[in-house]
Amino acid sequence: MKRKWIVTATCLLLLWTCLAVLALSGCGRAAGGRRIVRVALGQSETHPQYLGLLAFKETVEAELGDKYEVQIFPNEILGATQKAVELTQTGAIDFVVAGTANLETFADVYEIFSMPYLFDSVESYFAVMEDEETMEQIYTSTDKAGFRVLTWYNAGTRNFYAKEPVRTPEDLRGKKIRVQQSPASVKMMQAFGAAASPMSFGEVYTAIQQGVIDGAENNELALTSNKHGEVAKYYTYNMHQMVPDMLVGNLKFLEGLSPEELEVFTQAARRSTQVELAAWEEQVAQAREEARSMGVEFIQVDVEPFKEKVLDLHQEMIADNPDIAGIYGYIQSRNQQTKAWQERKEATDIDQG
């Protein structure tokens, strides 16, 4: 029986690999001569980003269905995210959804999003991400590397989750915590007193289960969409990062489009963001309920002690990477504007009350 299971698993793995290789080779045209547009995604078919990509596909094919067929490959079918970024860079894949940490090695400015407690509030975060003029300067920063970001997706607030509760920074001391493959994230974890363990997102479940790491840091959907709540029962709202994911396109493909076609792809990307944002809010609420049914405890903590541990990294990161100084200053001004607006609103509410 054991040998039969091994043979079956091996055959499935070979079939899966063959399908992935086939997708990246020789089959660049669909029926009717349409150009196949390949999009790689690390998340599952139920994830908000997948739903956003469906909207991207629908919009492109509604306008250009006689020329293009968009095919979405979820669940890291085409490889882990960093590998998929490299494939997009070469043109083997046309688009990939990647975290900003995956883009840091190609453009230093993306390191800004790994800075802990960069945004003072969700409102400030959204104000920056929806500023198209500012974001376009960041999106084009990877042109020399051969790809460009078209739009962003909300990836929520990153928090700690682990086998044991984290209520203060001291609870992190000596713990092995998975982080994204980003030097800034590693420094952040060291400042918290934990041991940073960079690894692919797809490896996290098994690593926690087998005790290779003690926990990780991510949004609530990781607990349910990726079942991490089965092996990590404590989720702490310390809110150390608000990090978007990006829809990255191969530059040669984008520059090969006609102006009219590029406008369609651009509008499709914007629509995908709106769909993803709406689905995100809904699914986070559902994820909390589902995670509770899995036995996960959600812990509210005083954020200030966590901030105090890592705020010195701001100036250290700017000194090491001057490319982020401009966008850092802009974000701080947005933080101040949002804070002032919130204070005026609270004062108005009190007066009216």
Side-chain angles (χ1 to χ4, degrees):
M1 178 64 73
K2 183 177 180 181
R3 182 178 179 183
K4 181 179 179 181
W5 182 88
I6 293 173
V7 171
T8 301
T10 303
C11 290
L12 287 172
L13 179 60
L14 288 172
L15 176 61
W16 198 258
T17 303
C18 289
L19 288 172
V21 172
L22 183 63
L24 294 176
S25 62
C27 295
R29 296 286 171 181
R34 290 177 297 166
R35 163 73 153 80
I36 294 176
V37 178
R38 304 177 182 88
V39 186
L41 176 67
Q43 305 292 351
S44 71
E45 295 92 332
T46 61
H47 195 275
Q49 290 176 0
Y50 185 85
L51 301 181
L53 290 176
L54 284 180
F56 177 78
K57 170 183 171 70
E58 291 167 0
T59 303
V60 169
E61 293 182 354
E63 298 292 331
L64 302 170
D66 59 330
K67 295 181 180 179
Y68 299 97
E69 177 183 323
V70 178
Q71 295 183 356
I72 306 168
F73 296 86
N75 299 307
E76 294 190 341
I77 290 176
L78 301 184
T81 301
Q82 193 65 36
K83 183 62 178 179
V85 170
E86 294 168 2
L87 291 172
T88 303
Q89 183 184 23
T90 65
I93 297 173
D94 301 295
F95 293 93
V96 59
V97 177
T100 55
N102 300 110
L103 306 181
E104 288 181 22
T105 56
F106 302 99
D108 287 347
V109 69
Y110 277 102
E111 188 180 51
I112 190 68
F113 295 105
S114 295
M115 186 177 284
Y117 298 104
L118 172 66
F119 298 99
D120 287 349
S121 65
V122 173
E123 290 79 9
S124 179
Y125 166 63
F126 271 82
V128 171
M129 297 310 302
E130 292 173 352
D131 184 336
E132 293 185 5
E133 183 177 347
T134 296
M135 293 308 301
E136 188 65 21
Q137 297 175 38
I138 297 176
Y139 292 166
T140 57
S141 64
T142 54
D143 281 6
K144 291 182 180 179
F147 57 81
R148 179 182 296 175
V149 171
L150 260 68
T151 193
W152 69 285
Y153 296 135
N154 187 20
T157 302
R158 297 184 77 89
N159 303 284
F160 290 113
Y161 54 94
K163 287 184 171 182
E164 297 179 359
V166 175
R167 304 183 190 278
T168 68
E170 285 67 34
D171 292 330
L172 290 166
R173 189 169 300 280
K175 296 288 194 298
K176 293 174 290 185
I177 304 295
R178 181 266 178 180
V179 295
Q180 298 181 91
Q181 298 177 29
S182 156
S185 294
V186 171
K187 288 181 180 179
M188 175 187 70
M189 204 55 58
Q190 291 170 342
F192 279 131
S197 298
M199 66 177 64
S200 170
F201 185 61
E203 300 174 26
V204 175
Y205 182 100
T206 302
I208 296 176
Q209 184 183 47
Q210 296 180 352
V212 175
I213 58 177
D214 299 296
E217 47 86 43
N218 213 317
N219 56 63
E220 297 94 332
L221 294 191
L223 297 173
T224 53
S225 296
N226 303 92
K227 307 300 182 184
H228 293 179
E230 293 180 352
V231 291
K233 299 299 183 182
Y234 299 94
Y235 189 93
T236 300
Y237 279 109
N238 67 299
M239 301 182 288
H240 54 267
Q241 288 172 327
M242 299 177 197
V243 186
D245 284 341
M246 302 295 188
L247 178 60
V248 182
N250 174 265
L251 188 61
K252 186 176 180 180
F253 170 76
L254 294 173
E255 291 183 336
L257 298 170
S258 70
E260 295 77 17
E261 291 173 339
L262 180 58
E263 180 62 20
V264 170
F265 275 86
T266 301
Q267 292 301 323
R270 289 172 179 163
R271 180 176 175 234
S272 73
T273 295
Q274 296 308 310
V275 170
E276 193 270 349
L277 292 178
W280 183 270
E281 294 302 320
E282 181 180 342
Q283 288 199 21
V284 165
Q286 294 173 350
R288 290 194 191 103
E289 293 305 312
E290 184 178 344
R292 287 191 180 97
S293 70
M294 297 164 71
V296 175
E297 178 184 345
F298 289 93
I299 303 171
Q300 299 290 340
V301 297
D302 181 1
V303 172
E304 290 306 315
F306 289 89
K307 276 188 179 182
E308 291 172 4
K309 287 287 186 180
V310 296
L311 280 183
D312 286 347
L313 287 178
H314 284 210
Q315 296 308 314
E316 180 182 332
M317 289 175 65
I318 292 171
D320 291 341
N321 180 9
D323 287 344
I324 66 175
I327 184 64
Y328 177 81
Y330 167 74
I331 291 172
Q332 293 310 308
S333 68
R334 278 290 193 174
N335 283 336
Q336 292 300 317
Q337 291 171 14
T338 302
K339 182 180 179 180
W341 176 83
Q342 289 173 332
E343 289 175 348
R344 288 195 301 270
K345 185 177 184 299
E346 289 174 3
T348 301
D349 291 343
I350 291 173
D351 290 341
Q352 291 177 349

